[in-house]
Amino acid sequence: MNKSDFVTRISKVAGALTMAGKDLLLVSPGADLRYLIGYDALPLERLTCLAVNAEGRSWLIVPKLELPAAMASGVADIPVQLLDWEETQNPYELLASEIGQIKAPIANNLMWLEKAKFLGNAFGVELELANELLSDLRLVKSSFEIDALHEAGHAIDRVHSSMEKWLKPGRTEREVGRDIAAAIIQEGHVTVDFVIVASGPNGASPHHELSDRVIGLGDPIVVDIGGTMPSGYCSDSTRMYVCGQPPADFLEKYEILKVAQQLAFEQAAIGVTCASIDSAARDYLSANGLGEFFIHRTGHGIGMDTHENPYIVQGNQEVVRSGFAFSIEPGFYIPGLYGARIEDIVTCEDGQVKSANNTSHDLVIL
Ligand code: ZN
Ligand code: ZN
């Protein structure tokens, strides 16, 4: 990222504010803040907040002790007015007095309620949600961002490719998960965002993480892993493993799932609705007796957050555009028995939909 990208993003916010009839956007630490100014701020009880008005003027208020970290992230190079506050000052009042009269401020959706209340009090007007204002900007990725997602995809693929080193019968999910987490970092991520190792019946819970269950021979194992790269962009990929021979009825279902995932991938194209991609996987699973066991949406957008717009879900009539990036991850979850999911991140650019994850979809037998 360079300085001009951030300048462009701030000016897009100003334009969107004007269009929405709002006069100020307040942004707390998290991916929204990092997207707009490149500052990966800690979400602390002390106030750190970016404000952008409809004229494109911006302010960043940080606690004095966070100022060196903010400067190190390069915010001094972009035209944002820096304010710092000392422990005995009221940062909310300080920010409001710098900005002056505001009539219709909005806050990023993930701002803590406490911060939103105190900011609203300081401005003397209740904050409303930014709703889609920021997610609409983040929805369409630049080629820099698409490349960053592919780089993240390669990194997580390398972890999946080495799974035989860690995934062994007799080890617990937690032991395996610890090794996978270390590998996620070793392969280039700066944080481990999640490690799911769901063996046997644990696989029937889509977001089971790790437990002390000992992995047994023949247990189908869902491994869904992801982290954040130095670029700020995230990886997320699921593959299926088994030590020894899986049950025959599992194999049958798994072949159906592979086709469903492929059908959703083939459906994904510029100009189709998000709902139609979900239908491609769901209809096939339903036609083959697995519909009732596919208990989540087919996918989610991904970028600086692992889950963001667009959601690949029934009812979402959003049309896929160049710059979209999202997961395709159908699954089936049979309570008491096992579960399965196959997940790739795909990106749309230059009229093409490409997978950022390229390890085989076959059940990996270890
Ligand atoms: Zn996912
Ligand atoms: Zn995942």
Side-chain angles (χ1 to χ4, degrees):
M1 292 299 306
N2 55 44
K3 181 183 151 182
S4 68
D5 292 312
F6 295 124
V7 173
T8 305
R9 288 173 184 179
I10 296 283
S11 76
K12 280 186 177 168
V13 166
L17 280 169
T18 305
M19 290 279 287
K22 306 292 179 190
D23 53 7
L24 190 74
L25 171 70
L26 294 157
V27 183
S28 56
D32 286 328
L33 184 72
R34 189 170 187 183
Y35 179 80
L36 291 176
I37 59 170
Y39 178 29
D40 187 18
L42 291 170
L44 301 168
E45 80 291 1
R46 294 182 176 102
L47 182 72
T48 289
C49 185
L50 172 73
V52 181
N53 75 8
E55 283 79 53
R57 223 179 129 192
S58 57
W59 299 261
L60 176 69
I61 186 160
V62 298
K64 198 174 190 71
L65 75 165
E66 299 297 329
L67 192 59
M71 298 293 274
S73 76
V75 294
D77 300 333
I78 57 178
V80 58
Q81 188 179 331
L82 271 172
L83 304 167
D84 60 21
W85 61 277
E86 303 201 25
E87 301 283 42
T88 54
Q89 286 181 293
N90 179 328
Y92 301 92
E93 299 292 344
L94 179 61
L95 182 65
S97 69
E98 277 292 326
I99 294 173
Q101 179 92 46
I102 285 297
K103 290 196 194 77
I106 54 175
N108 67 316
N109 296 9
L110 296 182
M111 180 178 282
W112 294 355
L113 185 56
E114 179 187 83
K115 302 275 191 305
K117 286 275 180 201
F118 290 169
L119 283 164
N121 290 345
F123 283 102
V125 50
E126 207 171 315
L127 290 187
E128 287 184 24
L129 279 178
N131 287 319
E132 310 290 299
L133 188 138
L134 279 168
S135 59
D136 280 353
L137 292 182
R138 289 172 50 190
L139 177 64
V140 177
K141 271 91 179 164
S142 65
S143 42
F144 173 89
E145 294 178 280
I146 302 266
D147 289 350
L149 284 166
H150 279 266
E151 197 189 348
H154 294 320
I156 211 68
D157 281 359
R158 291 194 293 274
V159 180
H160 272 299
S161 300
S162 300
M163 204 57 67
E164 83 280 357
K165 289 191 211 161
W166 316 300
L167 202 49
K168 295 191 168 111
R171 299 194 80 200
T172 66
E173 293 172 356
R174 205 177 304 284
E175 287 166 341
V176 173
R178 214 172 285 142
D179 290 339
I180 294 173
I184 289 174
I185 299 296
Q186 191 144 23
E187 292 299 348
H189 298 83
V190 286
T191 58
V192 177
D193 296 337
F194 54 92
V195 176
I196 295 175
V197 180
S199 63
N202 288 343
S205 165
H207 279 172
H208 169 86
E209 287 222 339
L210 301 169
S211 78
D212 294 317
R213 185 179 187 277
V214 175
I215 291 164
L217 279 174
D219 289 339
I221 307 157
V222 181
V223 178
D224 184 355
I225 50 179
T228 302
M229 298 291 283
S231 61
Y233 288 81
C234 302
S235 64
D236 182 6
S237 176
T238 311
R239 291 294 183 265
M240 291 299 305
Y241 299 87
V242 64
C243 301
Q245 276 308 310
D249 53 313
F250 176 82
L251 274 181
E252 251 170 60
K253 295 184 184 77
Y254 188 72
E255 289 307 309
I256 295 165
L257 179 63
K258 261 167 60 176
V259 175
Q261 205 279 345
Q262 180 63 26
L263 288 171
F265 176 73
E266 284 166 14
Q267 172 63 21
I270 312 284
V272 308
T273 65
C274 292
S276 75
I277 303 171
D278 181 84
S279 294
R282 196 168 304 280
D283 291 352
Y284 188 79
L285 287 167
S286 297
N288 288 279
L290 290 174
E292 66 178 296
F293 303 111
F294 178 24
I295 55 176
H296 56 72
R297 63 195 174 207
T298 292
H300 53 82
I302 186 167
M304 285 191 154
D305 277 318
T306 309
H307 288 192
E308 57 182 54
N309 274 350
Y311 293 100
I312 308 303
V313 63
Q314 285 302 295
N316 187 359
Q317 296 307 313
E318 176 101 51
V319 168
V320 173
R321 283 177 276 156
S322 201
F324 278 26
F326 50 88
S327 71
I328 296 182
E329 51 177 309
F332 61 80
Y333 308 92
I334 320 275
L337 278 184
Y338 43 61
R341 178 163 67 253
I342 300 171
E343 176 180 25
D344 287 333
I345 302 304
V346 301
T347 62
C348 312
E349 195 180 27
D350 301 329
Q352 281 187 310
V353 174
K354 282 191 199 145
S355 184
N357 299 106
N358 295 291
T359 59
S360 166
H361 287 178
D362 291 346
L363 176 66
V364 181
I365 297 181
L366 301 169

